[in-house]
Structures are given as C-alpha cells and as structure tokens.
Amino acid sequence: MLLRCKLILLAIGVIQGQMLWCSKPAVYRAENLKQVLNLAKVDSVEMLQRKAALHFHHKLNLYRHSLKLDTLVWDEALWLAAMNHCTWMIAHHNLTHNQEENTAFFTGVSPGARVAYVAGQGLAGYGENALYNYSVFDMPLDSIAKHMAVNSFEQWKASPGHDQNMRSSYGKHGVAFMLDHRTCWGVDIFAFGDEPIVALEKKISEQKPSEVIVNQISSSRSVEKHFVKSLYKKFPSKKQEGIYVKLHQAAQRHARYLLLHPEEQSFEKRGASGFYGRTPYLRLLKASAGISVFSKKPTEVCLVKHYELNDFQAAQELEKLIKEIDDLGAGPNKVLVVEKQRKKSALTIAIVLSGFETKE
C-alpha cells in the first residue's frame, strides 16, 4: 500500500457552459448521518456526491468479483470520515493522507483518527486512497455521478499502490467524492472486518441507481488472520514430507515458546513454560521421537514482532515484515511457521524459519 502515492488524472473533453459546482464545507460525526442523508434529498450537489460514491462502490465490487474476491461491505462511518477528509483537502488544497492539527476542518491526523472522530472508535487496520481529477461536465446529474465514479475507479486502478488497496483482503470501506467547482476530490477508506461501524440503511434516503446493491457477504477476516495468511502465501514452505514434517513440528513448538518468552531467540531455557528443547537440533531430535534420521544440521532463525492495533496501518506493516523475512533467508527449502497471540489491542507474532545447513 502506498499511502503517499499521488496521481492526477486529466479528463479529456470540452467544458460547456459556466455552471460551477461546489460543496458546502462542514465536517460530520455519526450522529449527523440522518441529517446528511436528508440533505441529499434536497441539495442537488449532495445528492450527486452520494450517488457517485454508491456508483463507485458497485463498480469496485464488480471488479473484486471478477478477481474472485469477497464483496466489500459499505460502512457509513467510513464514508463520513472520507467525506470529512475531502472537505479538509479542498479547504487547504492539499492532496494528502495526513491532516495538520489546529487547521480548519481538522478531524484527525491519520485515517484511523478521522474514523475515531466520526464514530468514537478507531480501526485495527486500514488503508486509504485519495485523489483529485477533472471529471465534472455539464450533463444530467446521474450521468455526472457515473462519470465521477468511473474516472476515479480507473485512476486508482492504474496506480499499483491504490489498486492493491482495492484488491486487498479488507472487509469494508467507505468512499466519498466532493466537488470543488469543476474539480472532483475523492477518498476511499478501507478497514478489516465485515461488520460495519454504521451499516447502510436498507432504504437509502436519496434516489440511488437501481443497480447499486450492497451484498454483505460474511467473512472471518481479522488483522491477525490477514497477517498469517498473507505470510504463508508469500513464503510457501517446503512440502511437508519425511523429516520436514518433524522440522515443522519443532519450529511450531519453538514459535509458541517465543510467544511466552519474546526476548529469547533460538535457545530455550530448560524449566521455562513452553520448553521443548534447548537448541534447534535437540528440538528436531525430540520431534522425531529421538531417532536421528537427519544427516545435516538444522538451522533456525527467529523473529518476534509486537504491534499495537489501535490506528494500525496493516498493509504497510505487512510489507515491512515481508522484507524482514526475506532478509532472514526465506526460500523454497525452508519451513516457515507463524504463531500469533492477541491481548486486547496488542498483537504479537512469532516467526520461525527452519531448514538444514547447505554446503557452500
């Protein structure tokens, strides 16, 4: 995920007429949702912006379905947070992911903080896309909404970092578009979990395109499951057969030991809770029932990571972790084991990479 990636797409066309569109600057919290939706009934600009967001939501899920990915659930709290950030960016004419404190329309430095402003609770992990473009022309409202949604979708899709957010294993999102005369500003906030902080009403207050359907497919995703699944996918282990079955067992027991004693590395202390064997060799020997069937010395490298899940930027941290594992020497002849432990808002991950010595 590239939170700082900025891309400007110039729409090709001739602007006809002199009509200027703009949104009324304001920031909102969850308790203002009904007010905002009611405003979309009577204010053509607010209606247009809401329709553009729902058009985009529909198009994004069609894209994900084509890739065999789960449907993203719509979250009104994320929509409000995205809308608030659009207001801030327009007011300061600054395409960014980080607001500056003590400025007009400030709702939080980071996306997670801005969601907390809206809903009173932050996010365990999130991603954010931001843009502006010139996709507003004089045409019927619904046509403008579709044009804004399609242009913004293609703009983000063409940028690898933004496209990764749209294809990642987040479970919910909220996207908002806001007009500043002929300029369209957009923000999409993604988060883990399939339970929205504020759910989409079955009957949306404004007239919406009939094809916009919210399909809330359940999922068991969470931050820690996302981490483990992504790591195993990135670093597929040596096929577990023969001695590698026992190597995996020994590595798994040591990873569990590390969750209890994160300050330790390859050596375990006899008598400590979770003790299985002092060295990688002794642990493999124990896993193989004391029968030494391996001719090469086992090797092992370990990594213990601690994460605070409040305002946690999961995609960025995962990218860093993958690089660290790469640096440890991950490869097709290695066995990767990941064990996790979560206590309230803290996540600990123990990683053990095992193999056998190779002759240079």
Side-chain angles (χ1 to χ4, degrees):
M1 177 189 64
L2 304 176
L3 275 177
R4 295 183 179 85
C5 185
K6 300 179 181 179
L7 180 66
I8 302 171
L9 179 67
L10 298 178
I12 300 174
V14 178
I15 298 177
Q16 300 176 349
Q18 300 297 320
M19 182 180 296
L20 298 179
W21 301 83
C22 60
S23 299
K24 299 174 183 177
V27 293
Y28 301 100
R29 298 182 187 269
E31 56 264 31
N32 306 127
L33 177 61
K34 186 175 181 179
Q35 169 194 344
V36 177
L37 293 178
N38 285 337
L39 186 61
K41 295 180 184 179
V42 297
D43 187 301
S44 58
V45 175
E46 298 294 338
M47 178 185 293
L48 170 63
Q49 292 172 164
R50 175 71 171 185
K51 284 187 173 184
L54 293 174
H55 274 300
F56 182 93
H57 173 68
H58 176 63
K59 187 168 183 62
L60 174 55
N61 274 326
L62 288 179
Y63 176 49
R64 289 175 63 86
H65 295 166
S66 72
L67 300 174
K68 310 300 182 185
L69 300 173
D70 286 342
T71 299
L72 283 178
V73 173
W74 178 269
D75 193 319
E76 298 283 30
L78 302 185
W79 173 62
L80 289 174
M83 189 162 59
N84 287 343
H85 190 46
C86 284
T87 297
W88 188 92
M89 290 194 300
I90 290 173
H92 302 281
H93 203 71
N94 185 7
L95 180 63
T96 179
H97 294 284
N98 299 307
Q99 294 184 11
E100 297 177 13
E101 296 183 9
N102 302 316
T103 55
F105 308 111
F106 173 81
T107 55
V109 173
S110 67
R114 294 192 285 273
V115 173
Y117 173 89
V118 169
Q121 65 182 79
L123 300 173
Y126 61 81
E128 181 183 83
N129 287 349
L131 59 71
Y132 71 84
N133 56 43
Y134 308 105
S135 56
V136 183
F137 300 95
D138 291 342
M139 56 182 71
L141 284 181
D142 199 53
S143 297
I144 295 176
K146 289 180 180 179
H147 194 62
M148 290 166 60
V150 170
N151 272 269
S152 298
F153 173 80
E154 295 299 336
Q155 179 173 329
W156 276 327
K157 185 182 177 184
S159 170
H162 298 97
D163 185 49
Q164 179 61 40
N165 272 344
M166 296 198 296
R167 294 184 290 105
S168 289
S169 57
Y170 295 112
K172 56 191 175 186
H173 85 129
V175 63
F177 297 103
M178 191 166 287
L179 299 177
D180 179 29
H181 303 294
R182 295 286 181 180
T183 305
C184 169
W185 295 74
V187 172
D188 198 351
I189 300 176
F190 305 86
F192 291 109
D194 61 353
E195 290 295 328
I197 302 172
V198 181
L200 180 70
E201 294 180 359
K202 292 182 179 179
K203 294 183 179 180
I204 303 174
S205 57
E206 80 277 15
Q207 293 182 355
K208 64 181 180 67
S210 59
E211 71 270 20
V212 177
I213 301 173
V214 179
N215 186 1
Q216 300 189 9
I217 296 179
S218 62
S219 166
S220 60
R221 278 187 298 268
S222 63
V223 174
E224 57 268 31
K225 288 183 179 180
H226 169 71
F227 256 69
V228 174
K229 182 178 178 181
S230 297
L231 290 175
Y232 281 133
K233 183 177 180 180
K234 178 66 177 179
F235 302 104
S237 292
K238 170 77 175 179
K239 185 177 180 181
Q240 290 190 34
E241 57 185 10
I243 192 59
Y244 282 93
V245 175
K246 303 305 179 183
L247 189 65
H248 182 275
Q249 180 181 332
Q252 188 176 54
R253 291 298 296 265
H254 186 53
R256 292 172 182 174
Y257 174 89
L258 290 174
L259 290 177
L260 300 173
H261 312 281
E263 71 282 357
E264 306 293 338
Q265 286 300 311
S266 287
F267 294 95
E268 295 185 6
K269 292 181 179 179
R270 186 178 299 277
S273 57
F275 176 82
Y276 190 69
R278 186 170 180 273
T279 66
Y281 176 86
L282 292 174
R283 289 192 288 274
L284 181 55
L285 192 64
K286 186 173 184 178
S288 60
I291 303 174
S292 181
V293 294
F294 41 94
S295 57
K296 296 180 181 179
K297 182 180 178 182
T299 62
E300 184 181 85
V301 288
C302 311
L303 188 63
V304 180
K305 304 293 290 184
H306 303 280
Y307 301 101
E308 179 58 45
L309 297 180
N310 291 328
D311 203 22
F312 179 54
Q313 298 185 25
Q316 285 185 335
E317 295 298 338
L318 179 60
E319 186 177 341
K320 293 178 185 177
L321 185 56
I322 287 173
K323 185 179 185 306
E324 288 188 63
I325 296 174
D326 259 330
D327 292 341
L328 292 177
N333 293 319
K334 297 292 183 68
V335 170
L336 177 76
V337 170
V338 182
E339 290 288 324
K340 58 184 173 59
Q341 182 180 62
R342 182 170 179 173
K343 292 183 178 180
K344 295 183 179 179
S345 63
L347 174 66
T348 300
I349 294 180
I351 298 166
V352 176
L353 191 64
S354 297
F356 291 99
E357 281 188 345
T358 57
K359 294 181 179 180
E360 296 295 336

